Each structure stands twice: as C-alpha cells, then as structure tokens.
Amino acid sequence: EKLAFDRAAGLYERAVQLLRESLPEEHPRVRELMLRLGNALANAGRGKEAARALLDACRGARTAEELDIKRRAAEQLMYSGFIDDGMKLLEEVLRLISERLPRTAIGRLAGILWQRLLLRLRGISFRERDESQIPGVDLVHTDILRSLTMGVGGANVLLASYACVRLLRQALRIGETSRIFFGLCMEANLVSANNPESKYLRRLLSKCEQIQEGWTGPRLPYIDTAHSFSLFMQGRWSESRKYTQAALR
C-alpha cells in the first residue's frame, strides 16, 4: 500500500511540474494537485515532504482553508518526529486566531487548572449544531487544538493536557458533535490517569456512549480506547483487554 502511495505521489509531482509551466502557483488547479500530492506523501509516511507540499498549496487559499492546510502540515511534521518545527507552525496559526499557549511548565499547569475549573463550572452539556452552521474559522480552531493534543502527547504531557481541555471547551462551545465526542474521549483518558473511579469519569463515558448511540455509522474506536484505559487503571485488565480488542477491529 505504501508503494502505491509513493507511486501516486510521484505522478502528482510530475503533474504539478507540468501545470506550473503554464499556470501560476496560486491557480486552483495547481493548488488542488499540491493538496493531493501532500495527502499521498502523508499516506506514504513521508511527513516532512507532505508538510512542504501542503504549505505550497496555501498560496491563494482563503483564510479558513489556509489555517486548516497549515494545521495539517504541522500535524505531519509532528507525526514524523519534527516536533519543534510542527509546534512553531501551530503557534503561528494559533496567533492568527488569538489563541496563545502557555510557554512555561508552571504556566501550563496553571492553565490546566484554570481551564478545568471553567469546564467544571460550564458542564459537558451542549446545543448540537450542524457543521454547515458553524463558521469555518471556529471549526479550524478546534481542529488545531486537536492536532496539538495528538501531536505533542508523547513529548510534552503538560502542553497536551492543556490543549485537550481547551479542545473540549472549544468543541462544546461550537456544538459540533464529532469534535465534542473526540474531546470527551480525550478528557476521559486524562481523568482515568489520575482518578479512574471518579463520578466525573463515569459522566464523561456515559456522555460518549450517548453520542455514539445517536449515530448511524460504525462505533468509533476512541470510546473503546477510553473505556479500556479507564478499566486498565482500575486494575480490571481482563475487561480492559476486551475493549482494546474492540478498538482494534
């Protein structure tokens, strides 16, 4: 499969070269092929090259689309091990939407406590809105926080924890269900690490199940992963294993 994506990337690269001979960089056809090239490189596991192709596709893009493309480029950099480069790009994008990250360990810890207090005061209820009703910048803002949560999780636990709580608060604010679902599952994982038998954790998992039941599609693995980690942290390893196997299917 990787070879197929490598071959596709080579064909897209050649097509881009040919188009560039007659069309400017910001032309929609050139940009579309650059995006396809970036996706093919990402699927082939060539994250740094994918990021470069995606950034080239930013020329001429509208604001929300440009932010999302840069988010995807940063994600590819972090997934391929270039954490600092990915973080630099994400911070640049976050500044454009007036979101600033705490820069020190103490600042991140204080930020986590403050964001968690705001979340507890607000609660996890929400008014569901269709994605088409939500401004594109708000959707991208949420996705940037999601990329940050996933991208730095293994390298900077405090920053990932801060981003996770911010992600959930932002997702609840805009009311888009799939993003709320992901944020709830990530929050459940964080709570499981510290207090796996808490009532709050049970409320989170119950809310996830409620959302899942309202969907017609297949069961998403995030919720089984959250259940598995919670049970693992309680020492209920046999039950945890069943959920892990379900998440892998």
Side-chain angles (χ1 to χ4, degrees):
E1 189 173 312
K2 181 180 180 298
L3 291 174
F5 285 121
D6 275 326
R7 178 171 171 75
L11 293 172
Y12 282 131
E13 197 165 13
R14 179 58 179 153
V16 168
Q17 289 172 354
L18 292 172
L19 271 183
R20 279 174 168 167
E21 292 176 3
S22 56
L23 296 173
E25 292 280 344
E26 64 274 11
H27 193 281
R29 289 178 63 191
V30 177
R31 291 186 54 253
E32 182 186 355
L33 281 179
M34 289 302 300
L35 287 172
R36 293 188 180 187
L37 171 60
N39 291 337
L41 289 166
N43 287 324
R46 295 158 62 182
K48 193 167 188 179
E49 295 170 77
R52 192 180 305 119
L54 290 168
L55 290 174
D56 284 344
C58 282
R59 298 185 181 94
R62 294 182 178 180
T63 302
E65 184 187 11
E66 180 183 0
L67 291 173
D68 190 53
I69 293 170
K70 286 182 176 179
R71 173 193 68 81
R72 290 162 56 193
E75 198 172 69
Q76 286 303 313
L77 287 169
M78 290 191 290
Y79 286 173
S80 53
F82 298 93
I83 305 292
D84 290 341
D85 292 338
M87 273 298 305
K88 200 174 296 181
L89 183 54
L90 269 188
E91 286 179 341
E92 173 193 323
V93 175
L94 285 167
R95 278 196 296 272
L96 296 174
I97 52 176
S98 303
E99 172 89 37
R100 295 191 178 276
L101 299 174
R103 304 194 66 84
T104 65
I106 293 174
R108 288 164 187 165
L109 182 58
I112 292 168
L113 295 173
W114 175 244
Q115 292 296 328
R116 194 167 293 286
L117 173 62
L118 293 175
L119 178 61
R120 290 297 183 97
L121 291 173
R122 183 205 181 282
I124 56 174
S125 60
F126 63 95
R127 183 172 64 86
E128 184 177 349
R129 297 167 68 196
D130 188 83
E131 194 169 303
S132 62
Q133 301 174 312
I134 304 169
V137 171
D138 285 343
L139 293 170
V140 174
H141 188 167
T142 314
D143 291 340
I144 293 168
L145 292 167
R146 173 176 174 159
S147 296
L148 182 59
T149 300
M150 299 293 286
V152 302
N156 192 322
V157 175
L158 281 179
L159 182 57
S161 300
Y162 173 84
C164 179
V165 186
R166 273 294 295 121
L167 160 65
L168 180 52
R169 286 190 59 232
Q170 169 71 6
L172 289 166
R173 185 183 71 80
I174 66 173
E176 199 286 308
T177 311
S178 67
R179 291 168 173 84
I180 292 170
F181 180 82
F182 179 83
L184 288 168
C185 290
M186 293 300 103
E187 170 73 351
N189 287 332
L190 281 179
V191 176
S192 293
N194 298 293
N195 192 358
E197 298 183 10
S198 71
K199 291 181 181 178
Y200 176 52
L201 175 59
R202 289 198 292 273
R203 287 203 305 273
L204 288 169
L205 293 173
S206 175
K207 194 71 171 178
C208 290
E209 289 289 357
Q210 182 184 333
I211 294 173
Q212 177 66 66
E213 287 169 8
W215 285 339
T216 55
R219 185 176 174 86
L220 297 178
Y222 302 120
I223 188 169
D224 289 322
T225 303
H227 277 298
S228 174
F229 186 51
S230 167
L231 291 165
F232 179 85
M233 294 302 292
Q234 293 176 54
R236 296 159 63 182
W237 298 304
S238 178
E239 295 169 80
S240 173
R241 183 169 176 268
K242 291 177 184 177
Y243 277 105
T244 301
Q245 290 173 331
L248 293 172
R249 282 201 290 269

